[in-house]
Amino acid sequence: MASFDPSQRDGFSSRFGVIAAAVGSAVGLGNIWRFPYVAGENGGGAFLIIYIGFILLIGIPVMMSEFAIGRRAQRNTFGAFKVLAPRSRWSLVGLMGIIAAFTILAFYSTVAGWTVEYLVNAVGDQFAGKTKEELGVDFSAFSSHAYRPLIWQLVFMVLTAAIVIAGVKNGIEKYTKILMPLLVVLILVVCVRSVTLPNASAGLEYLFNPVWSDITLNSVLMALGQAAFSLSIGMGCLITYGSYIRKNNNLFSTSFMVASADTIIAVLAGVMIFPAVFSFGFEPDKGPELVFIVLPNIFQTMPGGYIFAIIFFFLISVAALTSTISVLEVVVAAFIEEFKISRTKATLIAASSITVLGVFATLSFGQMGDFEILGKSVFGLLEFISANILLTFGALLIILFAGWRLGKANFFDEVTNGGTIKQPLFKVIFFIIRYVAPIAIGFVAVASFFIDDLL
Ligand code: PHE
C-alpha cells in the first residue's frame, strides 16, 4: 500500500518546473475572468493602482513566507504548522486553508466548466454573426441549463483529479511546463486585436486612468481579496508547493518572478477585455458573465476569429486547470500525510466531496437561482467567503506566523538556503513581513467590515 513515507516525498525537479507550477497556480480564472470584472465593478484604473500596491506590499511578502514555511516543514499546509509550532493552535490556520480549498474549488469549477462549454461552442462556430444581446441570451440559457453546466463541471473535476493522481513531478510539473508559455503567447495575440478595435482608447483610459472618486472602502477590500486570490496566497497552496521546492532554489527571486508574471497577465487580461467592452458598447460592471459575452464578440469580428476563439477558450480552460490542480493538491497533500492514505484515495475523496459542494454553486445560476443567503447566491457567497474572508485572514495569519513565530533566524536560514546565498533585501522584506503587511491587512479588513456600515 502506497502510504506516506517522508523520505519518498514527491517534488519539483527543476527551477523552471517550480516557476511553471507556481505561475500555473497563480494565473488562472482569477486573472482572466475575475480581475476584469472586479476591476470593472470597483473603479477601473484606481482599482488597478491599489491592486498593484497590495501585490507589492502584501502579496510578495506573504508568498515568500508561504514558500519558506512549506519548504522548512516539508509538509502539507496543516502538517506544516504542526511541525513548526508543535502543540499550538497554529495548525488551525492550516485547517482554514483546507476549508478555503473547498470553497474556492467549488465555485471555481463552475466557471472552469463554463470555459469548456465555450471551447466546444467555439469549435462549433456558435458565436458567428450573433449580436451582443444574442450572446448574452446564450450565456444565460447555458448557465441556467438543468444539466449542461454540471456535466462540464464534473468533467473538469475529473481532469483535475487525474493530474493530481499522477503526482507532483509527473502530473503537475509536467503539464504546467508546456501549457503556461503557450497561454502567454495567445493572450498577447488577443490583446493586439482588442486594442486595434474602434474606440479602444476608451477602454484603455478606463483601465489606466484612475478616477479616485470611484473608490470606496469596499473596493479597497475587494482589491486586497483579489490580490490574494490571484497570487494563490492565504490558504497554504504555496506552503504545499513550497514543500516540493528543492533546497537550492532562491525563494525570494522565485516569488518576485511568480508575482510579476501573475500581475502582468492580469493587466493584459484588462487590456484584452476593456477596449472590447467599450468598443462594443457594454458597461464594464457586467459581473461574472463579462468575459463570456465580450470575448465571443471580439472573436467574431476579427480575421481568423474562429481559430483564435478555439485557441483562446482552450487556453483559458488550461489556465483554470493549472490552478484547480494546485487547489486540490492542498487537500490531497494534507489527506495523504495526515491520514496516511494513498495519493489516489486521497484525491478521490477530496475531489468528490468538493464536487458535491460545487454542484450547488453551479445550480445557483439556474435551478437554485432564488435561493439566497445574506443576499447572495451560493456561488456569490462562496466567492465572497473565499477571497475576502478566508484568504484575507489566512494571509494575515500566515504572515504573522512567518514574522513572529517562525522567528527571524529560521526565516533567514530558509531564504538564504542555509546561508549559501545572499539576500540583500532581507532586512527590508522582514520589516514588511513583521510590521507593514500585517498592519495593512488588519487595517483594511477591520475598516471595511466596520466603517462602511458607519458611513
Ligand atoms: N490564483 C488562482 C487564479 O487566479 C486561483 C487560486 C486561488 C488558486 C487560491 C489557488 C489558490 O485563478
Side-chain angles (χ1 to χ4, degrees):
M1 182 81 230
S3 70
F4 170 63
D5 169 4
S7 65
Q8 296 291 312
R9 251 179 141 262
D10 202 352
F12 297 126
S13 67
S14 66
R15 182 173 153 74
F16 181 62
V18 172
I19 305 267
V23 173
S25 170
V27 173
L29 298 173
N31 308 58
I32 302 168
W33 160 76
R34 195 172 190 268
F35 174 79
Y37 96 74
V38 173
E41 285 175 342
N42 288 285
F47 180 88
L48 178 61
I49 294 179
I50 299 173
Y51 173 81
I52 291 177
F54 282 145
I55 296 278
L56 294 172
L57 199 69
I58 294 168
I60 295 177
V62 175
M63 188 180 283
M64 288 171 184
S65 305
E66 289 203 21
F67 283 149
I69 292 169
R71 191 171 68 175
R72 192 146 196 96
Q74 292 293 300
R75 278 292 186 293
N76 70 86
T77 185
F78 181 74
F81 289 100
K82 281 200 308 185
V83 169
L84 299 175
R87 287 175 298 285
S88 74
R89 298 224 178 98
W90 281 104
S91 55
L92 290 176
V93 180
L95 194 60
M96 203 169 114
I98 291 167
I99 295 171
F102 271 77
T103 60
I104 290 173
L105 202 45
F107 80 83
Y108 204 91
S109 56
T110 301
V111 184
W114 296 349
T115 65
V116 185
E117 162 84 8
Y118 271 67
L119 171 59
V120 173
N121 288 348
V123 172
D125 207 8
Q126 297 286 314
F127 314 133
K130 292 209 169 125
T131 63
K132 65 173 194 189
E133 286 75 18
E134 287 169 323
L135 289 167
V137 170
D138 280 1
F139 177 78
S140 329
F142 160 66
S143 59
S144 62
H145 191 275
Y147 56 81
R148 273 183 86 91
L150 290 176
I151 293 179
W152 289 130
Q153 178 172 38
L154 190 65
V155 167
F156 211 90
M157 288 302 295
V158 169
L159 273 173
T160 305
I163 296 181
V164 170
I165 287 177
V168 178
K169 202 184 292 101
N170 298 325
I172 298 175
E173 180 176 348
K174 185 165 134 199
Y175 289 97
T176 51
K177 270 200 309 211
I178 310 168
L179 298 169
M180 292 319 290
L182 213 57
L183 177 70
V184 175
V185 175
L186 253 292
I187 288 180
L188 288 174
V189 173
V190 182
C191 280
V192 171
R193 169 69 259 201
S194 187
V195 298
T196 50
L197 286 167
N199 199 26
S201 57
L204 293 176
E205 189 165 324
Y206 180 78
L207 181 61
F208 293 115
N209 196 5
V211 179
W212 292 103
S213 56
D214 288 346
I215 291 293
T216 60
L217 256 174
N218 186 57
S219 34
V220 178
L221 177 72
M222 292 299 287
L224 179 59
Q226 173 61 21
F229 185 76
S230 192
L231 293 180
S232 306
I233 57 172
M235 46 94 75
C237 183
L238 301 181
I239 294 180
T240 309
Y241 274 18
S243 76
Y244 302 138
I245 299 180
R246 286 199 194 145
K247 287 288 180 192
N248 61 1
N249 185 287
N250 184 337
L251 296 181
F252 274 14
S253 65
T254 296
S255 306
F256 275 115
M257 265 168 9
V258 173
S260 314
D262 185 66
T263 307
I264 291 169
I265 291 179
V267 173
L268 288 178
V271 172
M272 201 160 67
I273 305 285
F274 288 117
V277 167
F278 283 86
S279 183
F280 295 117
F282 287 110
E283 292 302 320
D285 60 352
K286 254 194 141 322
E289 64 252 52
L290 187 66
V291 165
F292 293 93
I293 302 173
V294 174
L295 281 177
N297 223 335
I298 309 187
F299 291 126
Q300 59 153 329
T301 62
M302 69 195 271
Y306 172 72
I307 297 292
F308 284 122
I310 295 173
I311 303 176
F312 181 81
F313 281 108
F314 172 69
L315 286 169
I316 189 173
S317 312
V318 162
L321 187 61
T322 57
S323 298
T324 52
I325 54 181
S326 72
V327 185
L328 187 59
E329 179 64 23
V330 172
V331 185
V332 170
F335 282 6
I336 295 174
E337 293 173 359
E338 302 307 313
F339 299 141
K340 315 262 184 283
I341 55 177
S342 73
R343 177 165 274 276
T344 308
K345 202 164 168 189
T347 310
L348 293 178
I349 297 172
S352 50
S353 45
I354 292 172
T355 307
V356 172
L357 185 60
V359 165
F360 292 99
T362 301
L363 289 181
S364 71
F365 287 88
Q367 238 75 332
M368 288 176 52
D370 297 330
F371 179 73
E372 288 193 344
I373 307 167
L374 305 170
K376 289 187 192 305
S377 66
V378 175
F379 180 96
L381 190 72
L382 287 170
E383 189 190 2
F384 182 83
I385 292 178
S386 306
N388 292 339
I389 299 179
L390 293 173
L391 295 189
T392 305
F393 279 102
L396 177 61
L397 293 169
I398 287 169
I399 207 163
L400 285 174
F401 183 85
W404 297 95
R405 173 72 202 234
L406 187 61
K408 194 171 182 169
N410 283 335
F411 190 76
F412 184 77
D413 183 66
E414 196 56 45
V415 298
T416 56
N417 301 347
T420 58
I421 52 172
K422 287 205 165 53
Q423 296 294 2
L425 288 177
F426 182 80
K427 280 216 169 86
V428 182
I429 291 171
F430 200 70
F431 182 78
I432 296 178
I433 287 178
R434 265 213 166 150
Y435 303 100
V436 183
I439 292 173
I441 306 177
F443 182 77
V444 175
V446 171
S448 60
F449 281 117
F450 300 108
I451 301 179
D452 252 9
D453 286 344
L454 296 178
L455 291 178

